[in-house]
Amino acid sequence: MSFNAKSGALLSSRAARWWWRQQPSCAAAAPAWSCFGGSWSRPILDMSYSRHFLDFQGSSIPSSMKKLVVTKLSQNFREAVTLQQDSPVPLPGDGDLLVRNRFVGINASDINYSAGRYDASVKPPFDIGFEGVGEVVALGLSASADFTVGQAVAYVKAGSFAEYTVVSARQAVPLPSVKPEFLTLMVSGATAYLSLKELGDLSEGKKVLVTAAAGGTGQFAVQLAKKAKCHVIGTCSSDEKGGFLKSIGCDRTINYKTENVESVLRKDYPEGVDVVYESVGGKMFDLALNALAIKGCLIVIGFITGYQSPTGLQPVKAELLPAKLLKKSASIRGFFLNHYLSDYKMALQHLLKMYERGDLVCEVDFGDMSPEGKFTGLESVFRAVDYMYMGKNIGKIVVELPHSVNSKL
């Protein structure tokens, strides 16, 4: 039986059971009401909702799908992750949406997740992928109060590397349309916004150094610091990336392949930089620490150079750290997005408005310049992760998932 028929019947019965549980008992009902002989003050089932459970407005939903699953804990993404061809399409519960993913985002921390570094208690197999954008193709009755079939949504939730993902309506963000640019804001943009807002104390004239500035999150750190009227320095690995950074307002670009970062910072900024947005780790962390001004702050949002190692870390010169911080009254602050979820919706709404006004560039890299071309389909997620760790991307790496030509959405 197809998903359309079987699931429609199942969800329809769920809806009826849900309705029945909400009704007052005969004893609790008002005297004028009767459970069987009289009539209720509201209909047994709002049939405007029932179509969500019966035919999904004609959407073509298969019974099985492709998805990526971590089958072995490893920082080597290709070793850790398996593409499953015939996984059952999940069913949304009463407060859930079934989202057909159209675009999924690649994050440096995908390999931390595949290595089991975020939760040691979770054992394979488990789903992977942090964020997606797509359309609602089915939903539970309670969820239908706020969402409709065909609506564009984005979300942050483990399991986005799949053709379909069940998402709680509370986690879904309604969008005006399905565009990859919206995906860039979900993790990368929100990380830059919240970390700089909460920890950066940005103000006019401050000097801000952004490492990996042309990457998925670096692009937003550059732009947000410029909006705060700061002087922005960005490190990158090519002249092409340097050109992109200048186009979004970066005041000084440093191509670390052709320039000595330490020498440039010492010569051009002898008094140091006030804020560092650091995501590289290792030697770049050490350089950035040494470049801090008096009362400067280094914000650590990642350390990508270490993620592929067995420990996930790259050595830094930690033995001198206390003395360096004391000498400058400087600080190092860590930022992990999960610890700021209470402010997440506010941040996202702010960023969405900025983008819609044309005040924010959301650069997307589909891998068109990669050897095998554009990242299309779940099979290309492996290439996309490799592409990121080769340092090739400009902006956020996004994989497009083509949808069935039979779909009416």
Side-chain angles (χ1 to χ4, degrees), residues 147 152-155 169 171-175 186 344-345 348-349 352:
F147 293 89
V153 295
Y155 64 89
Q171 294 177 297
V173 178
L175 298 174
M186 299 302 292
Y344 178 76
K345 284 192 175 181
L348 198 57
Q349 291 304 319
L352 285 168

Side-chain angles (χ1 to χ4, degrees), residues 297-352:
C297 177
L298 190 156
I299 303 170
V300 178
I301 62 103
F303 32 91
I304 188 173
T305 55
Y307 293 168
Q308 290 180 304
S309 70
T311 63
L313 298 169
Q314 192 79 301
V316 297
K317 297 176 180 178
E319 67 276 4
L320 300 177
L321 186 58
K324 289 180 179 180
L325 296 178
L326 178 62
K327 182 179 179 181
K328 295 182 177 180
S329 294
S331 62
I332 299 174
R333 301 291 301 273
F335 179 89
F336 188 48
L337 184 60
N338 286 8
H339 298 151
Y340 290 82
L341 294 182
S342 60
D343 297 316
Y344 178 76
K345 284 192 175 181
M346 172 276 297
L348 198 57
Q349 291 304 319
H350 182 84
L351 292 169
L352 285 168

Side-chain angles (χ1 to χ4, degrees), residues 24 31 35 48 57 102 120 136 158 193 198 212 225 235 255 258 264 268 272 299 307 335 347 367 370 383 386 390 397:
C35 289
S48 67
Q57 292 188 340
R102 296 286 293 276
V136 176
Y193 178 85
E198 298 295 326
T235 68
N255 180 349
T258 59
V264 170
D268 293 356
I299 303 170
Y307 293 168
F335 179 89
S370 65
R383 288 198 297 117
D386 291 342
M390 289 187 289
I397 302 176

Side-chain angles (χ1 to χ4, degrees), residues 44-348:
I44 290 178
L45 185 64
D46 184 342
M47 295 310 292
S48 67
Y49 289 165
S50 67
R51 62 184 176 180
H52 299 312
F53 303 94
L54 297 175
D55 65 1
F56 308 106
Q57 292 188 340
S59 173
S60 176
I61 304 176
S63 59
S64 62
M65 66 174 186
K66 295 179 182 179
K67 72 173 181 177
L68 296 186
V69 177
V70 175
T71 53
K72 172 187 174 184
L73 294 181
S74 174
Q75 73 279 1
N76 184 319
F77 193 83
R78 290 181 178 272
E79 288 183 1
V81 178
T82 300
L83 174 62
Q84 294 187 351
Q85 300 280 351
D86 55 355
S87 295
V89 173
L91 296 176
D94 179 62
D96 297 332
L97 312 175
L98 180 63
V99 178
R100 182 178 61 202
N101 294 313
R102 296 286 293 276
F103 300 102
V104 294
I106 304 298
N107 292 281
S109 50
D110 286 329
I111 70 170
N112 287 333
Y113 200 71
S114 71
R117 290 171 180 155
Y118 290 143
D119 187 349
S121 67
V122 177
K123 305 300 181 185
F126 55 85
D127 298 342
I128 191 169
F130 292 131
E131 54 188 341
V133 166
E135 302 111 339
V136 176
V137 294
L139 70 170
L141 184 59
S142 293
S144 66
D146 298 307
F147 293 89
T148 61
V149 169
Q151 187 169 357
V153 295
Y155 64 89
V156 175
K157 176 184 182 290
S160 69
F161 290 163
E163 292 178 319
Y164 296 86
T165 302
V166 167
V167 180
S168 167
R170 294 191 303 272
Q171 294 177 297
V173 178
L175 298 174
S177 61
V178 175
K179 294 177 65 175
E181 286 79 7
F182 293 125
L183 186 59
T184 68
L185 303 175
M186 299 302 292
V187 173
S188 300
T191 294
Y193 178 85
L194 285 170
S195 63
L196 291 174
K197 178 178 181 292
E198 298 295 326
L199 309 178
D201 191 26
L202 301 185
S203 60
E204 185 173 356
K206 282 193 173 182
K207 297 180 285 293
V208 179
L209 171 64
V210 180
T211 62
T217 190
Q219 64 171 324
F220 294 111
V222 169
Q223 294 178 81
L224 293 169
K226 285 302 297 180
K227 296 293 182 187
K229 299 182 179 180
C230 297
H231 177 91
V232 182
I233 309 121
T235 68
C236 60
S237 60
S238 71
D239 291 339
E240 183 184 4
K241 292 184 179 184
F244 166 70
L245 289 175
K246 290 176 182 176
S247 75
I248 60 173
C250 193
D251 297 289
R252 175 65 160 97
T253 63
I254 306 175
N255 180 349
Y256 62 81
K257 294 287 184 71
T258 59
E259 296 182 89
N260 185 294
V261 177
E262 184 177 17
S263 298
V264 170
L265 292 174
R266 189 184 301 116
K267 176 175 178 288
D268 293 356
Y269 305 96
E271 296 183 0
V273 296
D274 301 294
V275 179
V276 180
Y277 186 81
E278 218 294 276
S279 61
V280 177
K283 293 180 179 178
M284 186 64 76
F285 173 89
D286 291 328
L287 291 175
L289 178 64
N290 292 337
L292 280 178
I294 301 297
K295 298 182 181 179
C297 177
L298 190 156
I299 303 170
V300 178
I301 62 103
F303 32 91
I304 188 173
T305 55
Y307 293 168
Q308 290 180 304
S309 70
T311 63
L313 298 169
Q314 192 79 301
V316 297
K317 297 176 180 178
E319 67 276 4
L320 300 177
L321 186 58
K324 289 180 179 180
L325 296 178
L326 178 62
K327 182 179 179 181
K328 295 182 177 180
S329 294
S331 62
I332 299 174
R333 301 291 301 273
F335 179 89
F336 188 48
L337 184 60
N338 286 8
H339 298 151
Y340 290 82
L341 294 182
S342 60
D343 297 316
Y344 178 76
K345 284 192 175 181
M346 172 276 297
L348 198 57

